[in-house]
Amino acid sequence: MNTNTPLSIEAYTKEAVELLSELIRTPSISREEQESATVIRKFLKEHQVKVHQSGNNVWAYNKTHHPEKPSLLLNSHHDTVKPNAGYTKDPFDSIEEKGKLFGLGSNDAGASLVSLIMTFIHFYDKELPYNIVLAATAEEEISGKGGVSSILPELGAFEFGLVGEPTQMKMAVAEKGLMVLDCYVEGVSGHAARDEGVNAIYQSLEIINWFKEFEFEKISSHLGPIKMSVTVIDAGKQHNVVPDSCHFVVDVRTTDAYTNEEVIGEIRKQVDCQVAPRSMRLTPSFLPDELKIARVGERLGIEKFGSPTLSDQSLMNFPTFKMGPGDSKRSHTADEYIYLDEITEGIAGYIKLLEELFK
């Protein structure tokens, strides 16, 4: 195909639907995306795009890429969750019915991915004020270390990133981060029949109540307050022994009002127990209002919101926003689908947003 002549949105949609159909028919459960990476690589090569690959991550630079220009990232993932037991249709068969395309990954995030790919092809060999990097990445559904974080150092610096996820083409300009905390409370064992020992469960109750009641001072304008939930507790070995230890788990959804490091620092100041985060890498993200792309979205009247759900934004240490066709309520559901019109709207919306940015 000659990319020097841009196609109509209808033609782009036709290609995008054909590509998405092929991806649906190509199983790509997280860490098993080899074949879908091949499909994407082949499609880009057919459009005369030079392609790079590491693991199951595929990326490309626009033809007029120049190191002195600012860069933007177009990113979405091609892995999926495993299909759940509620499917009535074959999750690995792309089925068109009444304006919908059914299949695993159609909504999350296949429609966003193919729409971003067609947007990248539209701008591929144009002379632009920005560099564009397209990255179709792996292991998003499990926040895996073999996904986008493994290639970001290779891709260079970005002014911002557009992460393709189903948002009904609204701009998710902030997203909550995640920390999972293992908390350990020490007591002293003793016989339950006598007044002896220090019960670690009783010691834990006060701390658990703190997690329930504590409110961080700063509240995010888009995401609201930080939310902490105790979700697992484990203590005791038999009925007649006072437990000398108690372990509980806290799910902490962080916001752009604090860094993860600031949150864990405040928690450790307040509670009298060992607090061990399993990971600090899933950080909150946001798009500053003063950034040009944020002002462009405002000018175009695109609705902005804060997202409670996690994406690969959490692994990017530069400004990002989440935007794409489809509805997150359909993600991970049985008989997942995308409206064909949503793909058309996705491609047109992405192109219009970037055209305004490039003016």
Side-chain angles (χ1 to χ4, degrees):
M1 175 182 173
N2 183 358
T3 57
N4 291 321
T5 306
L7 298 178
S8 67
I9 296 298
E10 291 75 18
Y12 283 145
T13 300
K14 183 175 183 295
E15 284 207 60
V17 171
E18 289 172 354
L19 175 58
L20 180 53
S21 296
E22 187 173 2
L23 288 170
I24 290 169
R25 295 191 297 267
T26 307
S28 54
I29 309 301
S30 297
R31 294 201 176 105
E32 300 173 8
E33 313 97 337
Q34 299 91 334
E35 292 186 18
S36 56
T38 299
V39 169
I40 295 165
R41 188 183 183 104
K42 179 174 175 286
F43 183 86
L44 290 171
K45 283 186 173 181
E46 287 172 351
H47 288 74
Q48 287 81 55
V49 174
K50 183 178 180 182
V51 186
H52 306 265
Q53 184 170 349
S54 175
N56 296 327
N57 303 288
V58 176
W59 72 95
Y61 304 94
N62 65 310
K63 198 172 184 179
T64 58
H65 193 279
H66 193 281
E68 293 185 0
K69 297 178 185 178
S71 296
L72 65 91
L73 175 67
L74 302 181
N75 165 249
S76 192
H77 64 96
H78 59 101
D79 65 314
T80 70
V81 295
K82 294 179 181 180
N84 63 58
Y87 266 84
T88 64
K89 303 176 185 295
D90 184 347
F92 301 110
D93 187 10
S94 59
I95 301 168
E96 285 190 40
E97 288 181 3
K98 298 179 181 179
K100 299 177 182 178
L101 181 66
F102 290 87
L104 181 64
S106 55
N107 179 75
D108 181 18
S112 296
L113 175 62
V114 298
S115 296
L116 284 173
I117 288 173
M118 299 316 301
T119 300
F120 176 80
I121 288 171
H122 175 79
F123 289 109
Y124 176 64
D125 53 12
K126 296 179 184 295
E127 191 60 50
L128 304 170
Y130 282 77
N131 299 317
I132 304 179
V133 181
L134 171 73
T137 49
E139 298 187 18
E140 190 272 349
E141 296 291 2
I142 57 171
S143 300
K145 293 185 178 180
V148 68
S149 62
S150 69
I151 63 169
L152 282 176
E154 175 83 15
L155 302 185
F158 292 104
E159 182 174 291
F160 71 89
L162 192 172
V163 177
E165 289 283 346
T167 67
Q168 298 176 310
M169 291 304 287
K170 300 171 186 177
M171 293 178 72
V173 295
E175 178 184 272
K176 286 189 175 181
L178 169 65
M179 287 192 297
V180 179
L181 309 181
D182 286 295
C183 299
Y184 300 91
V185 177
E186 297 301 321
V188 178
S189 64
H191 198 293
R194 294 189 290 271
D195 186 18
E196 61 184 29
V198 177
N199 194 313
I201 294 177
Y202 296 163
Q203 298 282 94
S204 299
L205 291 178
E206 183 177 348
I207 300 171
I208 289 171
N209 190 62
W210 179 88
F211 278 106
K212 178 185 176 184
E213 300 294 339
F214 183 77
E215 296 179 359
F216 284 85
E217 182 179 350
K218 292 187 288 185
I219 297 176
S220 166
S221 58
H222 289 292
L223 298 169
I226 290 173
K227 189 174 188 310
M228 300 190 291
S229 303
V230 175
T231 54
V232 177
I233 187 165
D234 179 34
K237 293 181 174 61
Q238 61 189 63
H239 76 89
N240 58 351
V241 177
V242 172
D244 62 358
S245 65
C246 180
H247 163 235
F248 61 92
V249 178
V250 188
D251 179 293
V252 182
R253 302 291 167 152
T254 55
T255 75
D256 55 295
Y258 295 86
T259 66
N260 282 357
E261 288 76 12
E262 289 171 334
V263 171
I264 195 69
E266 182 65 24
I267 291 171
R268 283 173 169 160
K269 280 197 307 184
Q270 298 279 348
V271 300
D272 184 19
C273 69
Q274 181 186 348
V275 180
R278 295 181 185 179
S279 172
M280 303 282 282
R281 63 195 288 264
L282 302 178
T283 61
S285 55
F286 70 102
L287 189 73
D289 291 337
E290 63 272 16
L291 209 60
K292 184 179 179 182
I293 188 65
R295 298 198 306 271
V296 167
E298 191 82 29
R299 191 161 64 244
L300 292 175
I302 300 173
E303 183 179 337
K304 297 179 180 179
F305 72 102
S307 173
T309 58
L310 206 64
S311 76
D312 274 344
Q313 282 183 276
S314 64
L315 301 171
M316 300 176 187
N317 62 352
F318 47 87
T320 56
F321 66 100
K322 193 162 57 179
M323 179 178 179
D327 189 334
S328 65
K329 292 178 182 177
R330 300 179 212 144
S331 300
H332 306 176
T333 61
D335 297 336
E336 182 182 348
Y337 67 89
I338 188 77
Y339 285 102
L340 299 178
D341 286 348
E342 289 178 318
I343 297 175
T344 301
E345 292 164 5
I347 297 169
Y350 284 147
I351 289 175
K352 184 175 183 180
L353 181 67
L354 295 186
E355 283 178 342
E356 288 293 316
L357 175 72
F358 297 151
K359 287 181 178 178

